[in-house]
Amino acid sequence: MPFSSPQICSSDTLSDDVEVTFPILANSVPTSLPTASKVPIPEGDRCTFCEFGIPDLTVLPPKAGGQTCGDVKETSVSHINGDELCDIIQSVESICCPEPAPPCTFCLGGIPDLALQPPIAGGKTCGQVRQQAAAYSNGDPLCNTIQSEESTCCPSEPADHCTFCEEGIPDLTVVIPEAGGQTCGEIRQSTAGHVNGDGICNAIQSVERQCCPGPADLCVFCKGGIPDLTVVIPEAGGQTCGEIKQSSASFITGDETCNIIQSVERKCCMHMASNLADDLSLRIQMASNFDHGIDCASHNADWSLCYSQLFVFEYAGTEAYTDNNFAIYFSSIHRLLHVDHPDFEHGHVVGDLTYIKPTASFKGFEPSSEIILPVVFEYWSVQESDKMPRFFVVDSRDDSTAVIPNTDTEDLHDFVIPYTSSMKTEGDNNVPMTAENRYTRNEKLSEGFETDTSTRIIPTPFRVDISETAQSFGIVGVSLINADLLGKLQSGAEGLVSTITMKTASDRDHVLILTIGTLPNDIAGTESYTMEITAEGTTITASHEEGLFYGVMSFLGLLDTSSSRSTMPVKEMTIYDKPRFDYRGHQIDSARNFRTKESVMQTIDAMALYKLNNLHFGLSNDEGWRLEIPGMEELTTVGSRRCFDLSEETCILTQL
């Protein structure tokens, strides 16, 4: 539209008598323009032009009468959106500030390995290809070439890709020794191409807690605070309690370093539970299994059977203890039915774990005082071993725990007063076993011990032949001949012979000859053997190595190693032996009650001596897990540890 002279621009926002200059655009005739008076235009109404800037202010758009893009933008501020002149100004906007073409996209989800070289990238790495992409726009030929390498540099993740630290990794440079010295950042990159549940993903995820521990995983140290941060702990290399607490934040619960840190926790922070437990002792006194006047049925006792006892808590503190934020936990093989005291109540947690705690009416322990709690349990109690040791105090203010000292023992008489009766009911005529009457009953088994040494073999052999002319002789030591016939059992047999006879090779005067042969029909079997003992030597015959091994064990059973004599007496005889039972087992329950490797090996040796052939090794159940499984670390990091955690997220509760 041609313009040849100044025009009057009328608008609702302008007064009728204000003149406004307009730009000279294409097809207009330049004239001298009168000076126009300008009035402020509201920001929201001002004519918009290249709001995000003009790449080149000197560009001369066509149809703008020779004005530059910069001149046009300056003119726009004098007009308002929607008027005719603003529309003309905005018609050249696409020339002055064209929208940029979208950049060439490349591996938007990241590149697992920046150093990887794609096949047709001319030796460039994936990282260099990505940098190059920034110089191009989507759709141009060079961008298409670059994007052709995308599948090599950043393959698409599978639908169920291996997850690792999805919430982020606080420090990508942390080195994980179990991962071959890789950093957490490198481990996260290695998840590419793997899916949840495959072997490599499980191995990667096994170190996840070390790279990105959650708040619940962090190593806890002195949760209730540290009275004196400057206390020096020699076992910690001279570090102060404050320094130790700071270092704990770098580790997670259950790792070796956290365990070492927590081992000095009690020296840095006196737990609140200890304030009571250290001044407390317990004495348990049996009352009665019957004639106690208690309505057992009213307490929902099974078979309406219950017994009464007294729990006597003695407080030795010199100051009154008035806090009631504690509970006393203990294991009980019998269900606690009732606590007959207005200041205490009881509850059941899980399994055999039970507690007693004060009610709101509890006024506290007075100095050097005692509180007697009459308690009622289900069924009956006939011996002190019905009571479990290690009663412990839990303080809810800092979740600390402390064992009552006199119950931390294997000698139950330290806190259980000896029972005076073992009668379950009024008409109970059972005779309780004691060391004295057991000895008397078993004394007859020793008759003929010196003359008939075959009675020393356990289990009793199938048949023993001792001739009237058999002579007795003494043995100093034993030498095994043809021990290689024992196969994989050789080292075990030789070790037991050396341990039991405790003689050097030069002292072993009695030869024990092993042979493989045919056995009589009445004892034939894999584990059977015959043993012919003479003063010149002993020959053990079996059809298999197992039978030879059990024959050696029987021979060792004949030796009286406790004798004060210089030799061990043995009588000439022939033994024919076979097992009465194919399965002869023994159980070690390491899940409930952990045993050291040394004690387990000693138990296996004892099993061998008594010819037991099956070890039931309890490694896992709800009270504890001892078997490590890659990818299921919580089974051991949580399931193998005992502590007081009602949620059982960091450990398993203490119970049988």
Side-chain angles (χ1 to χ4, degrees):
M1 173 180 180
F3 298 102
S4 57
S5 61
Q7 302 290 316
I8 300 297
C9 182
S10 177
S11 172
D12 293 338
T13 59
L14 302 175
S15 59
D16 292 339
D17 57 351
V18 175
E19 289 186 337
V20 181
T21 57
F22 58 86
I24 299 174
L25 301 177
N27 301 322
S28 65
V29 179
T31 60
S32 59
L33 301 175
T35 302
S37 61
K38 299 180 180 179
V39 298
I41 298 176
E43 187 70 31
D45 295 330
R46 184 170 296 160
C47 184
T48 56
F49 185 77
C50 291
E51 287 187 280
F52 298 104
I54 302 175
D56 187 351
L57 294 171
T58 64
V59 170
L60 294 169
K63 302 181 183 179
Q67 295 180 87
T68 67
C69 287
D71 296 331
V72 176
K73 185 169 181 66
E74 285 185 6
T75 304
S76 69
V77 301
S78 301
H79 300 281
I80 60 175
N81 275 323
D83 69 21
E84 189 174 10
L85 290 173
C86 179
D87 292 341
I88 296 172
I89 289 169
Q90 291 173 336
S91 67
V92 299
E93 196 168 16
S94 62
I95 297 173
C96 289
C97 45
E99 290 186 11
C104 184
T105 56
F106 186 77
C107 290
L108 291 176
I111 302 175
D113 187 355
L114 293 170
L116 184 68
Q117 292 182 329
I120 60 171
K124 288 186 173 66
T125 65
C126 288
Q128 293 170 327
V129 173
R130 184 171 189 171
Q131 287 181 328
Q132 191 178 24
Y136 300 98
S137 301
N138 266 333
D140 66 30
L142 286 174
C143 178
N144 293 338
T145 302
I146 290 170
Q147 290 175 335
S148 68
E149 303 300 329
E150 202 163 12
S151 60
T152 302
C153 288
C154 43
S156 58
E157 291 282 4
D160 187 25
H161 69 273
C162 183
T163 55
F164 185 80
C165 292
E166 291 189 283
E167 302 299 322
I169 302 175
D171 187 351
L172 293 169
T173 64
V174 170
V175 175
I176 307 299
E178 301 94 307
Q182 293 186 88
T183 65
C184 289
E186 292 170 333
I187 294 170
R188 185 169 191 174
Q189 285 184 335
S190 67
T191 62
H194 300 286
V195 296
N196 282 321
D198 70 24
I200 295 178
C201 181
N202 290 341
I204 291 171
Q205 292 173 336
S206 68
V207 298
E208 192 167 16
R209 292 178 66 195
Q210 293 172 258
C211 286
C212 42
D217 297 324
L218 295 178
C219 185
V220 178
F221 185 78
C222 290
K223 182 179 178 181
I226 302 176
D228 187 351
L229 294 169
T230 64
V231 171
V232 175
I233 307 299
E235 303 94 303
Q239 292 185 88
T240 65
C241 289
E243 291 170 333
I244 295 171
K245 185 172 179 70
Q246 283 184 327
S247 66
S248 69
S250 303
F251 301 97
I252 60 174
T253 295
D255 68 24
E256 185 176 0
T257 305
C258 180
N259 292 339
I260 294 172
I261 289 172
Q262 291 176 334
S263 69
V264 299
E265 191 170 21
R266 189 168 294 277
K267 297 188 177 182
C268 285
C269 39
M270 182 68 172
H271 293 172
M272 291 182 176
S274 299
N275 294 335
L276 174 59
D278 289 351
D279 289 326
L280 206 59
S281 64
L282 170 64
R283 187 171 72 252
I284 298 178
Q285 180 177 343
M286 180 64 189
S288 178
N289 285 319
F290 55 91
D291 287 343
H292 38 50
I294 300 171
D295 183 2
C296 301
S298 67
H299 298 301
N300 297 316
D302 190 23
W303 292 91
S304 298
L305 294 173
C306 64
Y307 65 94
S308 60
Q309 288 185 324
L310 298 178
F311 280 11
V312 182
F313 290 99
E314 297 180 353
Y315 177 70
T318 57
E319 297 180 0
Y321 187 91
T322 57
D323 293 317
N324 64 352
N325 299 293
F326 70 90
I328 298 173
Y329 286 77
F330 58 97
S331 289
S332 176
I333 62 173
H334 298 139
R335 189 162 57 103
L336 178 58
L337 302 176
H338 180 61
V339 176
D340 191 12
H341 196 291
D343 294 342
F344 286 87
E345 60 186 2
H346 70 93
H348 172 249
V349 183
V350 65
D352 60 39
L353 190 59
T354 304
Y355 67 83
I356 294 173
K357 69 177 184 179
T359 62
S361 62
F362 177 68
K363 298 299 187 294
F365 290 98
E366 294 297 326
S368 302
S369 64
E370 68 178 26
I371 292 180
I372 301 175
L373 301 183
V375 291
V376 179
F377 288 93
E378 195 168 43
Y379 299 123
W380 54 78
S381 180
V382 297
Q383 54 191 357
E384 294 88 336
S385 58
D386 286 341
K387 301 292 103 177
M388 298 292 107
R390 297 180 184 86
F391 284 58
F392 61 97
V393 175
V394 176
D395 196 301
S396 60
R397 290 170 293 182
D398 63 350
D399 292 334
S400 60
T401 62
V403 177
I404 297 176
N406 78 310
T407 69
D408 190 9
T409 178
E410 294 300 318
D411 186 352
L412 297 178
H413 288 156
D414 286 347
F415 68 97
V416 181
I417 297 174
Y419 286 19
T420 58
S421 172
S422 62
M423 295 178 64
K424 299 178 184 178
T425 63
E426 191 171 5
D428 188 354
N429 296 317
N430 180 57
V431 177
M433 288 291 100
T434 64
E436 291 79 10
N437 60 29
R438 283 187 188 277
Y439 179 81
T440 301
R441 290 189 176 200
N442 293 329
E443 191 174 16
K444 64 178 182 180
L445 296 178
S446 64
E447 295 176 2
F449 184 78
E450 294 295 330
T451 57
D452 183 8
T453 55
S454 67
T455 59
R456 298 175 186 166
I457 298 177
I458 300 175
T460 301
F462 178 72
R463 185 171 72 252
V464 177
D465 290 344
I466 303 177
S467 70
E468 294 180 357
T469 60
Q471 59 180 326
S472 295
F473 59 94
I475 292 178
V476 175
V478 178
S479 294
L480 278 175
I481 306 299
N482 300 330
D484 58 309
L485 294 177
L486 291 166
K488 61 185 178 182
L489 300 172
Q490 179 179 354
S491 61
E494 291 177 331
L496 287 171
V497 168
S498 297
T499 301
I500 290 173
T501 62
M502 295 182 291
K503 303 295 180 182
T504 63
S506 61
D507 292 330
R508 296 170 185 170
D509 63 327
H510 190 83
V511 293
L512 189 59
I513 304 170
L514 308 181
T515 64
I516 294 292
T518 303
L519 298 175
N521 291 335
D522 61 341
I523 65 166
T526 302
E527 297 179 311
S528 303
Y529 65 92
T530 63
M531 179 163 56
E532 184 178 0
I533 303 170
T534 67
E536 290 73 28
T538 296
T539 301
I540 298 175
T541 304
S543 59
H544 294 79
E545 61 187 34
E546 292 93 332
L548 290 176
F549 181 81
Y550 290 134
V552 174
M553 296 303 103
S554 288
F555 182 83
L556 292 177
L558 289 172
L559 305 180
D560 182 11
T561 58
S562 64
S563 174
S564 60
R565 302 174 184 177
S566 59
T567 62
M568 295 174 282
V570 177
K571 193 170 186 178
E572 292 180 328
M573 67 185 79
T574 302
I575 296 174
Y576 303 86
D577 199 10
K578 68 175 182 179
R580 291 170 176 79
F581 303 99
D582 292 334
Y583 189 104
R584 305 179 301 281
H586 177 75
Q587 177 178 359
I588 301 176
D589 190 356
S590 284
R592 290 179 173 87
N593 298 282
F594 189 73
R595 296 290 184 270
T596 63
K597 176 183 175 182
E598 292 73 21
S599 68
V600 172
M601 299 304 289
Q602 289 173 357
T603 302
I604 292 174
D605 284 346
M607 289 178 61
L609 288 169
Y610 291 106
K611 308 180 192 71
L612 301 178
N613 62 358
N614 282 277
L615 172 63
H616 183 91
F617 203 175
L619 295 172
S620 60
N621 55 35
D622 57 335
E623 286 84 14
W625 192 284
R626 313 295 179 187
L627 183 63
E628 184 176 9
I629 299 177
M632 304 178 73
E633 282 69 28
E634 289 82 358
L635 290 175
T636 44
T637 59
V638 176
S640 66
R641 299 180 65 238
R642 295 289 184 91
C643 72
F644 185 77
D645 176 7
L646 292 175
S647 68
E648 293 194 309
E649 293 182 353
T650 60
C651 64
I652 301 298
L653 283 168
T654 300
Q655 58 169 315
L656 292 179

